[in-house]
Amino acid sequence: MLLEVNDLHVSYGAIRALKGIFCQVGEGEIVALIGANGAGKTTTLRTISGLIRPQSGTITYKGQPITKMPPHQIVSLGICQVPEGRRVFTRMTVLENLEMGAYTRKDKANVKADIEKVFQRFPRLAERKSQLAGTLSGGEQQMLAMGRALMSRPTVLLMDEPSMGLAPMLVQEIFSIIKEINQAGTTILLVEQNAHMALSIANRAYVLETGEIVLSGPARDLANNPEVQKAYLGE
């Protein structure tokens, strides 16, 4: 397995956010983490990214333990996160944001070519490359956050709530771009409240409830599971 999370425990003071979760992401997969607000989805991603230190448990990437590594080192290894709420650098231009995405790279000569690739994938960003990121629409900021993450040339992309706050038409567009990124060779671990959309593009999925994995399996099976339909798909 490319990425493995094993018996992970995380607490915020007295609150136990993760209670021994296990999950795996294989090379080339889209794996979805679904669950209600406060289930521990974002905490899982932030712990994999090195932004949160777990109390116990291990995270391995390509067989190498990364549990105690600092975030910048984890990015250099090939794991990059698109954070919830986009978090673009609002006072920087679109182009400067993309350059920031390549901050840890040593091959500066190839950065320009990769910026062009991002502009091909997101033509709207190309049109607005000199514009301040804070003046973009929510959908454009989401595209910029994704483009910025791709600038680190990740092997694994951790995506946190990419559809949050977006109009339904834009949600469709963002999800088809996620599929394209995956088909071009990037493995994706996707946290998403829109369980319907997440399960429609994922290979496998895990259902989190109050810090524990309660169900897992092929995404299609979970989409047809009556419990999942009732709790998360509004059916």
Side-chain angles (χ1 to χ4, degrees):
M1 276 290 163
L2 186 61
L3 182 66
E4 289 188 78
V5 172
N6 200 359
D7 196 22
L8 207 58
H9 289 261
V10 173
S11 291
Y12 298 116
I15 299 161
R16 293 175 65 210
L18 298 180
K19 306 165 190 169
I21 73 161
F22 292 83
C23 68
Q24 297 181 321
V25 184
E27 197 165 341
E29 283 191 305
I30 297 179
V31 175
L33 285 181
I34 63 171
N37 253 342
K41 306 183 302 294
T42 292
T43 300
T44 303
L45 291 194
R46 287 173 65 82
T47 309
I48 293 169
S49 293
L51 296 166
I52 294 172
R53 278 285 166 94
Q55 284 154 304
S56 61
T58 57
I59 303 161
T60 54
Y61 172 64
K62 295 183 175 177
Q64 172 186 3
I66 61 166
T67 323
K68 291 185 175 144
M69 271 187 193
H72 69 275
Q73 228 172 315
I74 290 172
V75 171
S76 298
L77 285 177
I79 299 174
C80 192
Q81 183 167 344
V82 181
E84 182 184 0
R86 307 182 259 285
R87 307 265 177 91
V88 294
F89 300 111
T90 53
R91 289 160 184 256
M92 288 183 173
T93 64
V94 165
L95 186 59
E96 287 165 343
N97 267 269
L98 294 177
E99 287 166 348
M100 285 298 284
Y103 185 72
T104 59
R105 283 174 52 178
K106 307 281 185 278
D107 60 330
K108 298 299 176 195
N110 298 319
V111 168
K112 219 173 213 162
D114 283 359
I115 287 173
E116 284 312 312
K117 279 186 199 160
V118 169
F119 285 154
Q120 281 164 15
R121 181 163 269 137
F122 303 102
R124 250 178 284 179
L125 296 184
E127 291 161 20
R128 291 160 173 67
K129 64 180 174 188
S130 307
Q131 207 169 308
L132 292 183
T135 64
L136 301 178
S137 71
E140 289 159 356
Q141 287 190 14
Q142 184 59 55
M143 290 172 190
L144 180 56
M146 288 161 75
R148 182 182 61 190
L150 289 173
M151 286 302 299
S152 71
R153 287 196 170 174
T155 307
V156 179
L157 201 52
L158 309 175
M159 303 206 68
D160 197 357
E161 302 284 7
S163 79
M164 188 187 268
L166 299 184
M169 231 172 73
L170 265 175
V171 172
Q172 292 282 357
E173 190 178 343
I174 291 293
F175 272 83
S176 51
I177 293 165
I178 293 169
K179 268 178 81 168
E180 280 170 31
I181 290 168
N182 175 249
Q183 283 158 1
T186 305
T187 301
I188 292 171
L189 178 57
L190 171 69
V191 155
E192 180 54 67
Q193 276 228 284
N194 186 334
H196 196 75
M197 287 301 292
L199 293 174
S200 75
I201 67 164
N203 303 95
R204 291 184 306 107
Y206 294 89
V207 180
L208 264 168
E209 261 175 37
T210 58
E212 295 178 271
I213 302 279
V214 292
L215 278 171
S216 67
R220 191 173 295 160
D221 293 0
L222 289 180
N224 294 323
N225 179 311
E227 283 175 61
V228 174
Q229 286 178 342
K230 199 167 135 202
Y232 305 107
L233 302 178
E235 289 171 20

